[in-house]
Amino acid sequence: MQESIDNCGCGYATQGHIKSLWGHLDEFAFEIDLIDKMYSQITTSPPASETSRTPFTTEQIDAIWEIKDQPYVDTILIFLYTGFRIEELLTMTVDQVNLDEWYFQGGIKSASGKNRIVPIHDRIKPLVKNLVNQGNTYLFSYDGKKFNATTYRNNVWYKVLEQIAPGKTPHENIQFLLVLTCILKAVDTHADLLRESAADVGNDQRLGGNEA
């Protein structure tokens, strides 16, 4: 049993399923007196690995709101304010959205998570209402059709992330360059105010001493 778990060549989730299967088989065999010991009880499988994902910062969320009128950016904001998984919202139909009482009814991952009620945050109500009124079958639609996860990640998710962060090629990121330019211009224009807000005798002495 343990060897089949350790050497299956799969990740922790599949190894956990194999361990569970052995447990069910053992339990059935024990009930019909085929075995007198349930060795599956001493098998082990690796725990879930720690996630390397990082949540969106307040600054990133604000940056997404700044570009909310761009195509499909509203869908990312709905993700952020509902907690649904990508697959759960991509398969959600407009019939699962209640605009009278303002809630979603969805979820596909687990028994407790299926068809759960999720209130619609006040800030995304206009976005949700607009998507429902488009008349498509699915809440998130691509050219009127259902999104698949790969298309969504490549055409929406990753492109928006590139806009709100400098990335590996900041010189090609127009929004990043625009924000950087505005900051530099503000510092140059209001240098006297910045100095007055930060300068004191001690700082001036240290700065002059270091420069000398």
Side-chain angles (χ1 to χ4, degrees), residues 20-31:
S20 178
L21 175 61
W22 279 122
H24 289 305
L25 293 174
D26 248 6
E27 184 176 355
F28 177 72
F30 185 80
E31 288 178 356

Side-chain angles (χ1 to χ4, degrees), residues 13 16 18 23 28 35 58 64 71 73 77 84 91 101 107 112 118 127 136-137 143-144 147-148 160 162 170 177 209:
I18 296 173
F28 177 72
I35 59 175
T58 302
I64 296 175
V73 173
L77 289 168
F84 279 116
T91 57
E101 299 182 23
S112 61
V118 176
L127 307 180
N136 297 310
T137 300
D143 292 335
F147 257 117
N148 67 61
V160 171
E162 289 175 358
L177 293 175

Side-chain angles (χ1 to χ4, degrees), residues 154-182:
N154 292 337
N155 293 356
V156 178
W157 191 267
Y158 295 141
K159 288 186 177 181
V160 171
L161 293 186
E162 289 175 358
Q163 291 188 64
I164 64 173
K168 296 181 179 178
T169 55
H171 57 285
E172 298 176 359
N173 189 324
I174 300 300
Q175 182 169 345
F176 170 71
L177 293 175
L178 176 61
V179 172
L180 179 61
T181 302
C182 291

